[in-house]
Amino acid sequence: MRHKLLILSLLAFLGGCTKPALDNLFCQLSLQAALPDGRQAVSITVDPALPGNQLRNLNTGMAYPFPTFVNNLGQLQVQKGVYVISFDGDALFADGSHAKVRFSGYGTPATAVNILEDDQVVELKLTVLR
């Protein structure tokens, strides 16, 4: 009986010696908007109701809401993976003017972007619609 208890204790001890997983499943993602004329938008908001607006992980199918971009930068935490990103948004500039902007660079599975780092910046080259 003592031998069985000793063997069970030894197995439990050895099982506890495994190295814990250190891989982080999530990324602190920074979306850096870039306008063609170099202007900086005070804010860019994306309407989640438009069907073409998507920030979706192709690996998991999980869709994330777009952050509000402040000074051309939007930040959020996402699970690492391959992402489809496209949207139409409303940009507000410091002089009070507005413009409709679009990003479609990563809009299809063929052009999707890999987001695999713990902290990653993805540049979004916007098109001004009007």
Side-chain angles (χ1 to χ4, degrees), residues 52-95:
N53 292 350
Q54 56 183 343
L55 176 56
R56 187 171 42 90
N57 185 324
L58 291 177
N59 303 97
T60 64
M62 176 94 176
Y64 293 87
F66 278 95
T68 297
F69 291 76
V70 176
N71 296 326
N72 286 5
L73 184 67
Q75 296 180 310
L76 69 157
Q77 184 179 46
V78 297
Q79 188 172 357
K80 292 177 182 177
V82 180
Y83 279 79
V84 173
I85 304 172
S86 65
F87 65 88
D88 284 354
D90 182 48
L92 172 65
F93 299 100
D95 64 2

Coordinates of all heavy atoms in Angstrom, one line a residue, residues 52-95:
G52 N -20.7 45.9 -45.5 CA -19.4 45.7 -45.9 C -18.3 46.0 -44.9 O -17.1 45.7 -45.1
N53 N -18.7 46.6 -43.8 CA -17.7 46.9 -42.7 C -17.4 45.7 -41.9 O -18.3 45.1 -41.2 CB -18.3 48.0 -41.8 CG -18.4 49.3 -42.5 OD1 -17.9 49.5 -43.6 ND2 -19.1 50.3 -41.9
Q54 N -16.2 45.3 -42.0 CA -15.9 44.0 -41.2 C -14.4 44.0 -40.7 O -13.5 44.5 -41.4 CB -16.0 42.8 -42.2 CG -15.3 42.9 -43.4 CD -15.6 41.6 -44.3 OE1 -16.1 40.6 -43.9 NE2 -15.3 41.7 -45.6
L55 N -14.3 43.6 -39.5 CA -13.0 43.3 -38.8 C -13.2 41.9 -38.3 O -13.7 41.7 -37.2 CB -12.8 44.3 -37.8 CG -11.5 44.2 -36.9 CD1 -10.3 44.1 -37.7 CD2 -11.4 45.3 -35.9
R56 N -12.9 40.9 -39.1 CA -13.2 39.5 -38.8 C -12.0 38.6 -38.9 O -11.2 38.6 -39.8 CB -14.3 39.0 -39.8 CG -14.9 37.7 -39.4 CD -16.1 37.4 -40.3 NE -16.0 37.8 -41.7 CZ -15.5 37.0 -42.7 NH1 -15.1 35.8 -42.4 NH2 -15.5 37.4 -43.9
N57 N -11.9 37.7 -37.8 CA -10.9 36.7 -37.8 C -11.3 35.5 -38.6 O -12.3 34.9 -38.3 CB -10.7 36.3 -36.3 CG -9.5 35.3 -36.1 OD1 -9.3 34.4 -37.0 ND2 -8.8 35.4 -35.0
L58 N -10.6 35.2 -39.7 CA -11.0 34.1 -40.6 C -10.8 32.7 -39.9 O -11.4 31.8 -40.3 CB -10.1 34.2 -41.9 CG -10.5 35.3 -42.8 CD1 -9.5 35.3 -44.0 CD2 -11.9 35.3 -43.3
N59 N -9.9 32.6 -38.9 CA -9.6 31.4 -38.3 C -10.8 31.0 -37.4 O -11.2 29.8 -37.3 CB -8.4 31.4 -37.4 CG -7.1 31.8 -38.3 OD1 -6.8 33.0 -38.3 ND2 -6.6 30.8 -39.0
T60 N -11.4 32.0 -36.7 CA -12.4 31.7 -35.7 C -13.8 32.1 -36.1 O -14.8 31.7 -35.5 CB -12.1 32.3 -34.3 OG1 -12.1 33.8 -34.5 CG2 -10.7 31.9 -33.8
G61 N -13.9 33.0 -37.1 CA -15.1 33.6 -37.5 C -15.6 34.7 -36.7 O -16.6 35.3 -36.9
M62 N -14.8 35.0 -35.6 CA -15.2 36.1 -34.7 C -15.1 37.5 -35.3 O -14.1 37.8 -35.9 CB -14.2 36.0 -33.5 CG -14.4 37.1 -32.5 SD -15.5 36.5 -31.2 CE -15.5 37.8 -30.1
A63 N -16.1 38.3 -35.2 CA -16.1 39.6 -35.7 C -16.0 40.6 -34.5 O -16.5 40.4 -33.5 CB -17.4 39.9 -36.4
Y64 N -15.2 41.6 -34.8 CA -14.9 42.6 -33.7 C -15.5 44.0 -34.2 O -15.4 44.3 -35.3 CB -13.4 42.8 -33.5 CG -12.8 41.6 -32.9 CD1 -12.3 40.5 -33.7 CD2 -12.6 41.4 -31.5 CE1 -11.7 39.4 -33.1 CE2 -12.1 40.3 -31.0 CZ -11.6 39.3 -31.8 OH -11.0 38.2 -31.2
P65 N -16.0 44.8 -33.2 CA -16.4 46.1 -33.6 C -15.2 47.0 -33.8 O -14.2 46.9 -33.1 CB -17.2 46.6 -32.3 CG -16.7 45.8 -31.2 CD -16.2 44.5 -31.8
F66 N -15.3 48.0 -34.7 CA -14.2 48.9 -35.0 C -14.2 49.9 -33.8 O -15.2 50.4 -33.3 CB -14.5 49.7 -36.3 CG -14.1 48.9 -37.5 CD1 -15.0 48.2 -38.2 CD2 -12.8 48.9 -37.9 CE1 -14.7 47.4 -39.3 CE2 -12.4 48.2 -39.1 CZ -13.3 47.4 -39.8
P67 N -12.9 50.2 -33.4 CA -12.8 51.3 -32.4 C -13.0 52.6 -33.1 O -13.0 52.7 -34.4 CB -11.3 51.1 -32.0 CG -10.6 50.6 -33.2 CD -11.7 49.7 -33.9
T68 N -13.2 53.7 -32.3 CA -13.2 55.0 -32.9 C -11.8 55.4 -33.0 O -11.0 55.3 -32.1 CB -13.9 56.0 -32.0 OG1 -15.3 55.6 -31.9 CG2 -13.9 57.4 -32.5
F69 N -11.4 55.9 -34.2 CA -10.0 56.3 -34.5 C -9.9 57.7 -33.9 O -10.7 58.6 -34.2 CB -9.7 56.3 -36.0 CG -9.7 55.0 -36.6 CD1 -10.8 54.3 -36.9 CD2 -8.5 54.4 -36.9 CE1 -10.8 53.0 -37.5 CE2 -8.4 53.2 -37.6 CZ -9.6 52.5 -37.8
V70 N -8.9 57.9 -33.1 CA -8.6 59.3 -32.6 C -7.2 59.6 -33.1 O -6.2 58.9 -32.8 CB -8.6 59.3 -31.0 CG1 -8.2 60.6 -30.5 CG2 -10.0 58.9 -30.5
N71 N -7.1 60.8 -33.8 CA -5.8 61.2 -34.4 C -5.2 60.1 -35.2 O -4.0 59.7 -35.2 CB -4.8 61.7 -33.3 CG -5.3 62.9 -32.6 OD1 -6.0 63.7 -33.1 ND2 -5.0 63.0 -31.3
N72 N -6.1 59.5 -36.1 CA -5.7 58.5 -37.1 C -5.4 57.1 -36.4 O -4.8 56.2 -37.1 CB -4.6 58.9 -38.0 CG -5.1 59.9 -39.0 OD1 -6.2 60.4 -39.0 ND2 -4.2 60.2 -39.9
L73 N -5.6 56.9 -35.1 CA -5.2 55.7 -34.5 C -6.4 55.0 -33.8 O -7.1 55.7 -32.9 CB -4.1 55.9 -33.5 CG -3.5 54.7 -32.8 CD1 -2.8 53.8 -33.8 CD2 -2.5 55.1 -31.7
G74 N -6.6 53.8 -34.0 CA -7.7 53.0 -33.3 C -7.0 51.8 -32.7 O -6.2 51.1 -33.3
Q75 N -7.4 51.5 -31.4 CA -6.7 50.4 -30.7 C -7.8 49.5 -30.1 O -8.8 49.9 -29.7 CB -5.8 50.9 -29.6 CG -4.7 51.7 -30.2 CD -3.8 52.3 -29.1 OE1 -4.2 52.9 -28.1 NE2 -2.5 52.1 -29.3
L76 N -7.5 48.2 -30.2 CA -8.3 47.2 -29.6 C -7.5 45.9 -29.4 O -6.4 45.7 -29.9 CB -9.6 46.9 -30.4 CG -9.4 46.2 -31.8 CD1 -10.7 45.5 -32.1 CD2 -9.0 47.2 -32.8
Q77 N -8.1 45.0 -28.6 CA -7.5 43.7 -28.3 C -8.2 42.7 -29.1 O -9.5 42.6 -29.1 CB -7.5 43.3 -26.9 CG -6.8 42.0 -26.6 CD -6.8 41.7 -25.1 OE1 -7.8 41.8 -24.4 NE2 -5.7 41.3 -24.6
V78 N -7.5 41.8 -29.9 CA -8.1 40.8 -30.7 C -7.4 39.5 -30.5 O -6.2 39.5 -30.1 CB -8.1 41.2 -32.2 CG1 -8.9 42.4 -32.5 CG2 -6.7 41.4 -32.8
Q79 N -8.0 38.4 -30.9 CA -7.3 37.1 -30.9 C -6.5 37.0 -32.1 O -6.8 37.5 -33.2 CB -8.4 36.0 -30.9 CG -7.7 34.6 -30.6 CD -8.8 33.6 -30.5 OE1 -10.0 33.8 -30.5 NE2 -8.3 32.3 -30.3
K80 N -5.3 36.5 -31.9 CA -4.3 36.4 -33.1 C -4.9 35.5 -34.2 O -5.7 34.6 -33.9 CB -3.0 35.8 -32.6 CG -2.2 36.7 -31.7 CD -1.0 36.0 -31.2 CE -0.2 36.9 -30.2 NZ 0.9 36.2 -29.6
G81 N -4.6 35.8 -35.4 CA -5.1 35.1 -36.5 C -5.0 35.9 -37.8 O -4.2 36.8 -37.9
V82 N -5.7 35.4 -38.8 CA -5.8 36.1 -40.1 C -7.1 36.9 -40.2 O -8.1 36.3 -40.0 CB -5.7 35.0 -41.3 CG1 -5.7 35.7 -42.6 CG2 -4.4 34.1 -41.1
Y83 N -6.9 38.2 -40.6 CA -8.1 39.1 -40.5 C -8.5 39.7 -41.9 O -7.6 40.1 -42.7 CB -7.8 40.2 -39.6 CG -8.0 39.8 -38.1 CD1 -7.1 39.0 -37.4 CD2 -9.2 40.1 -37.5 CE1 -7.3 38.6 -36.1 CE2 -9.5 39.7 -36.2 CZ -8.5 39.0 -35.5 OH -8.7 38.6 -34.3
V84 N -9.8 39.8 -42.1 CA -10.3 40.5 -43.2 C -10.7 41.9 -42.6 O -11.5 41.9 -41.5 CB -11.6 39.8 -43.8 CG1 -12.3 40.7 -44.8 CG2 -11.1 38.5 -44.4
I85 N -10.3 43.0 -43.2 CA -10.6 44.3 -42.6 C -11.0 45.2 -43.8 O -10.3 45.3 -44.8 CB -9.3 45.0 -42.0 CG1 -8.8 44.1 -40.9 CG2 -9.7 46.4 -41.5 CD1 -7.5 44.6 -40.3
S86 N -12.2 45.8 -43.7 CA -12.7 46.7 -44.7 C -13.8 47.6 -44.0 O -14.5 47.1 -43.2 CB -13.2 46.1 -46.0 OG -14.3 45.3 -45.7
F87 N -13.9 48.8 -44.4 CA -14.9 49.7 -43.8 C -15.0 51.0 -44.6 O -14.2 51.4 -45.3 CB -14.6 50.0 -42.4 CG -13.3 50.8 -42.2 CD1 -13.4 52.2 -42.2 CD2 -12.1 50.2 -41.9 CE1 -12.2 53.0 -42.0 CE2 -11.0 51.0 -41.7 CZ -11.0 52.3 -41.8
D88 N -16.2 51.6 -44.4 CA -16.5 53.0 -44.8 C -16.7 53.7 -43.5 O -17.3 53.2 -42.6 CB -17.7 53.1 -45.7 CG -17.5 52.7 -47.1 OD1 -16.4 52.4 -47.5 OD2 -18.5 52.6 -47.9
G89 N -16.1 54.9 -43.4 CA -16.2 55.7 -42.2 C -16.4 57.2 -42.4 O -16.2 57.6 -43.6
D90 N -16.6 57.9 -41.4 CA -16.8 59.3 -41.4 C -15.6 59.9 -40.7 O -15.4 59.7 -39.5 CB -18.1 59.8 -40.8 CG -18.3 61.3 -40.9 OD1 -18.1 61.8 -41.9 OD2 -18.7 61.9 -39.8
A91 N -14.8 60.7 -41.4 CA -13.6 61.4 -40.8 C -14.0 62.8 -40.4 O -14.6 63.5 -41.3 CB -12.4 61.3 -41.7
L92 N -13.6 63.3 -39.3 CA -13.8 64.6 -38.8 C -12.4 65.2 -38.7 O -11.5 64.6 -38.0 CB -14.5 64.7 -37.5 CG -14.6 66.0 -36.8 CD1 -15.4 67.0 -37.6 CD2 -15.1 65.9 -35.4
F93 N -12.2 66.4 -39.2 CA -10.9 67.1 -39.2 C -10.9 68.3 -38.2 O -12.0 68.7 -37.8 CB -10.5 67.5 -40.6 CG -10.4 66.4 -41.6 CD1 -11.4 66.1 -42.4 CD2 -9.3 65.6 -41.6 CE1 -11.3 65.0 -43.3 CE2 -9.2 64.5 -42.4 CZ -10.2 64.2 -43.3
A94 N -9.8 68.8 -37.9 CA -9.6 69.8 -36.9 C -10.4 71.1 -37.3 O -10.8 71.9 -36.5 CB -8.2 70.1 -36.6
D95 N -10.5 71.4 -38.6 CA -11.2 72.6 -39.1 C -12.7 72.4 -39.1 O -13.4 73.3 -39.5 CB -10.7 73.0 -40.5 CG -11.0 72.0 -41.6 OD1 -11.6 70.9 -41.3 OD2 -10.5 72.2 -42.7

